[in-house]
Amino acid sequence: MYYDFKELVIDAIKILFVILFFILLIFGIGYLLHTNINFAYYISDELEIPRDLSLTIMSAGFANNIIILLSVFEFAIGFWLVYKIANTTLFQNVKDFVINL
């Protein structure tokens, strides 16, 4: 019922892999958002449209609307790709390998 040293080390390695995955995921999301912000600011500067131009009361502004649309589009494609990859046998084999590590 108690952990021996080998099981403890294996669990620590699994936890480090999960933490590394989430850190890379957070940095990737931050990079995408930073790129979207720079792209939206570039478009608004080149077209000489104010960044906070809103045509309606509920509008987020020109640049913010571009950032929101790009982010939603990128996250939707990312989730779709993960859904498609998760159904492959290669991913199932890798998942089984990590679980049985």
Side-chain angles (χ1 to χ4, degrees):
M1 198 66 172
Y2 294 104
Y3 275 157
D4 59 350
F5 184 71
K6 180 182 175 184
E7 291 174 351
L8 188 64
V9 169
I10 289 173
D11 285 345
I13 291 172
K14 286 182 185 180
I15 290 170
L16 287 175
F17 279 139
V18 170
I19 290 172
L20 179 66
F21 173 75
F22 281 114
I23 288 173
L24 290 175
L25 184 68
I26 289 170
F27 279 127
I29 290 171
Y31 177 75
L32 279 177
L33 289 175
H34 180 69
T35 305
N36 290 344
I37 291 169
N38 287 339
F39 182 69
Y41 287 174
Y42 173 76
I43 287 178
S44 63
D45 290 341
E46 287 296 315
L47 296 176
E48 296 178 1
I49 297 173
R51 295 177 184 169
D52 59 346
L53 174 70
S54 58
L55 299 175
T56 64
I57 295 172
M58 297 300 293
S59 178
F62 182 74
N64 292 337
N65 283 336
I66 293 173
I67 294 167
I68 291 168
L69 289 173
L70 285 174
S71 298
V72 168
F73 183 70
E74 290 166 352
F75 288 126
I77 288 177
F79 287 133
W80 180 76
L81 285 174
V82 168
Y83 175 75
K84 288 295 185 183
I85 291 172
N87 292 331
T88 62
T89 56
L90 177 64
F91 179 77
Q92 295 298 328
N93 292 341
V94 169
K95 186 174 79 171
D96 291 340
F97 174 74
V98 171
I99 288 173
N100 295 327
L101 188 64

